[in-house]
Amino acid sequence: MLTYENFVAVLLGAIERSGLNIAYTQELIDTHALGRSLSITCLPDGVEDDQGPEEPSLRAVVAFRWSPEFTVFSLRGADSLDDIERFVDERLFARSRTGPSLDVEVIYYLPLTPLQQRDVAALPLLAHSVQELHGTLVEEHEVMRVDGVLAFDVDGMARVQGVSALRIWSLDDALYDVELLALTFEELCTELHAMLELLYAQFGPPEGSEPQSFDSFGSDRRYFKPPTA
């Protein structure tokens, strides 16, 4: 099995070759369990990350978690699992005969106008439009899930707080084969790049418009960028 360092190197190589517009990255380590995680935030072509500490409104985030057991398995082989079977992360046994399986998530976050935030009834149509865009890039059974978050004020009025779409890439044999992993990441980056451009064409701000105001709802929580690695 490839090590974490090998895995990340292949991912970063694919991102560089694809020409994705990277805003920032975040790499974390759990100091208690020693698990690791990496997230990479991408923007549409030509869009600069100029909103200060706030997250860009339209973005895609590539993320995965590398459990400590993955490190043991990658460095010491399958036999090392015999001693920690009762304590190991259950995802290691997703494929019990060949070893661990890992999911890489690509999450697309959509910008919402004040009107879209208030029009809860239009949320299914918005989700369908995102899935239609994705359907032009993938097979029907691969179309990603769209999630919506609703918030209710003290008077019980609902509004759309956020909309995101999740695409999961499950890696099995590619964890053992650098060439297969590189091909998988090339496909991931190509799809991500194309989807970001489609989303920007449909949901991005009109040319010459002012940046979206984040004060539309006054006291709403804002999500700030994490510190980069």
Side-chain angles (χ1 to χ4, degrees):
M1 178 181 174
L2 299 178
T3 64
Y4 173 84
E5 290 75 16
N6 296 146
F7 186 87
V8 171
V10 176
L11 173 58
L12 295 179
I15 288 175
E16 182 178 355
R17 288 188 295 274
S18 68
L20 281 169
N21 182 14
I22 304 302
Y24 49 88
T25 66
Q26 182 185 32
E27 190 171 24
L28 300 177
I29 183 167
D30 179 347
T31 57
H32 177 69
L34 300 183
R36 287 182 279 190
S37 64
L38 176 67
S39 64
I40 302 171
T41 299
C42 310
L43 304 179
D45 286 347
V47 176
E48 295 185 3
D49 177 27
D50 58 359
Q51 297 186 22
E54 294 168 345
E55 296 275 22
S57 56
L58 174 58
R59 64 192 187 278
V61 179
V62 182
F64 69 90
R65 177 181 177 272
W66 190 274
S67 74
E69 294 81 17
F70 274 50
T71 298
V72 173
F73 191 93
S74 64
L75 294 176
R76 303 178 65 179
D79 292 340
S80 63
L81 297 183
D82 295 338
D83 298 328
I84 60 173
E85 181 175 353
R86 288 181 298 174
F87 309 101
V88 77
D89 190 313
E90 63 182 6
R91 287 173 300 173
L92 276 175
F93 295 98
R95 300 185 70 208
S96 58
R97 292 187 178 181
T98 58
S101 175
L102 183 146
D103 288 342
V104 176
E105 296 183 347
V106 180
I107 308 172
Y108 299 88
Y109 294 91
L110 275 64
L112 296 172
T113 66
L115 178 60
Q116 289 173 320
Q117 289 177 314
R118 293 186 174 92
D119 192 358
V120 176
L123 185 56
L125 183 61
L126 176 62
H128 182 65
S129 65
V130 173
Q131 291 173 326
E132 279 192 325
L133 289 177
H134 193 224
T136 64
L137 303 174
V138 301
E139 299 293 333
E140 183 177 355
H141 68 278
E142 295 178 322
V143 171
M144 59 188 172
R145 185 186 80 207
V146 176
D147 298 319
V149 179
L150 298 181
F152 296 85
D153 62 21
V154 293
D155 296 320
M157 295 295 294
R159 64 178 178 79
V160 183
Q161 190 173 36
V163 175
S164 63
L166 174 65
R167 172 80 153 116
I168 296 178
W169 296 75
S170 295
L171 305 180
D172 303 308
D173 294 338
L175 292 175
Y176 302 84
D177 187 328
V178 171
E179 292 184 358
L180 180 57
L181 185 64
L183 289 174
T184 302
F185 282 149
E186 294 284 355
E187 184 180 351
L188 182 155
C189 291
T190 299
E191 180 185 308
L192 189 160
H193 191 206
M195 188 63 191
L196 263 182
E197 296 309 304
L198 290 173
L199 290 173
Y200 187 70
Q202 182 155 332
F203 299 103
E207 185 175 353
S209 65
E210 293 296 323
Q212 180 182 345
S213 170
F214 288 85
D215 296 323
S216 302
F217 293 93
S219 61
D220 283 355
R221 177 182 300 174
R222 299 181 183 183
Y223 291 88
F224 295 97
K225 296 176 191 174
T228 56

